[in-house]
Amino acid sequence: MAQWLLVRHGETEWNAEGRMQGHTPTGLSDTGVRQAGLLAERLSNTDLSGIYSSDMTRARDTAETIVAGRHIEIHATSDLRERSYGRWEGMTRQEIRDEYPQEYALWRQGTEQFSPPDGESLVDVLARQSRLTEMLRETYPGDQTIALVGHGGAFITLAVSMLGLPLSMRPRFHLSNASISVLRVSADGVVLERWNDISHWEGKL
């Protein structure tokens, strides 16, 4: 049974300000850099058969910190990107609510087909994630450990889908920056082993 580590990127300034990031290439804040370093310490003795990262700056920088000095190639892919929020990127939830009240209400309902203006629907996100997960299942069918470095909202969508849960369950899941979650993946199904583990940095920043 393969072990998939879902690693959310370290904090950014926009995370701290509560701004939608989506496909905007934000970088790590000073706190995020320290979080990435603590992630690297936590995973230093983990034998990784592969590491895959969103190609967004904040995720790629987190992945590079994790494997620094380990001679492990990072496979960067747009399939692990956060959901695109289009014209909402850079805005806070309150700003979205004020400027796009009808669209905001539809978004909060969690409708799978809803897309923010110029953004992606959950169906779009699942389509690109499915391409990657199918490839990973074929590439790592045995007792191997791989790390996926990406984004909170996208990882929640991925995990809920792989666990066979309805997407309406998404609001019941939360992922902190620089957290580690673990899925056990086999031909028989997927088991959630750990969720939102931040013990490697909590209280240390």
Side-chain angles (χ1 to χ4, degrees):
M1 182 176 286
Q3 181 176 240
W4 292 15
L5 310 181
L6 307 185
V7 182
R8 189 183 177 196
H9 63 79
E11 183 191 82
T12 70
E13 295 293 347
W14 278 16
N15 283 140
E17 295 170 2
R19 299 190 180 279
M20 307 298 288
Q21 295 181 102
H23 289 188
T24 301
T26 52
L28 299 178
S29 65
D30 290 343
T31 296
V33 170
R34 292 194 294 272
Q35 288 174 330
L38 292 168
L39 273 170
E41 291 180 18
R42 170 72 177 273
L43 298 174
S44 61
N45 295 318
T46 301
D47 184 15
L48 295 176
S49 296
I51 182 165
Y52 292 77
S53 172
S54 160
D55 60 355
M56 303 308 297
T57 304
R58 56 195 183 273
R60 183 61 188 262
D61 287 353
T62 300
E64 288 178 349
T65 301
I66 290 171
V67 301
R70 298 183 65 181
H71 306 292
I72 301 175
E73 179 184 1
I74 297 170
H75 301 279
T77 172
S78 60
D79 288 344
L80 278 176
R81 284 188 179 190
E82 180 61 283
R83 178 182 186 176
S84 170
Y85 287 97
R87 281 181 266 161
W88 290 359
E89 293 182 12
M91 301 176 70
T92 65
R93 289 174 182 254
Q94 185 60 54
E95 289 169 343
I96 295 168
R97 184 186 292 119
D98 292 342
E99 191 167 341
Y100 299 92
Q102 294 180 341
E103 293 89 342
Y104 180 85
L106 289 172
W107 174 51
R108 295 299 295 164
Q109 290 173 13
T111 305
E112 295 179 23
Q113 290 78 19
F114 170 74
S115 300
D118 299 329
E120 287 182 299
S121 69
L122 292 175
V123 173
D124 296 329
V125 175
L126 281 174
R128 57 180 166 82
Q129 288 182 337
S130 295
R131 292 194 298 265
L132 179 67
T133 56
E134 289 174 10
M135 181 276 290
L136 293 175
R137 281 176 178 268
E138 294 176 359
T139 306
Y140 305 97
D143 295 329
Q144 297 161 290
T145 298
I146 61 173
L148 310 182
V149 184
H151 310 270
F155 273 158
I156 290 172
T157 300
L158 182 148
V160 166
S161 174
M162 292 188 70
L163 290 167
L165 300 174
L167 290 178
S168 60
M169 293 289 289
R170 291 174 70 257
R172 301 193 181 192
F173 289 78
H174 169 76
L175 278 179
S176 301
N177 287 113
S179 61
I180 299 174
S181 300
V182 181
L183 297 177
R184 291 283 185 176
V185 182
S186 71
D188 297 326
V190 178
V191 174
L192 178 61
E193 184 174 276
R194 189 182 312 150
W195 187 257
N196 199 40
D197 183 353
I198 58 171
S199 59
H200 44 283
W201 66 258
E202 190 173 26
K204 300 176 183 178
L205 299 174

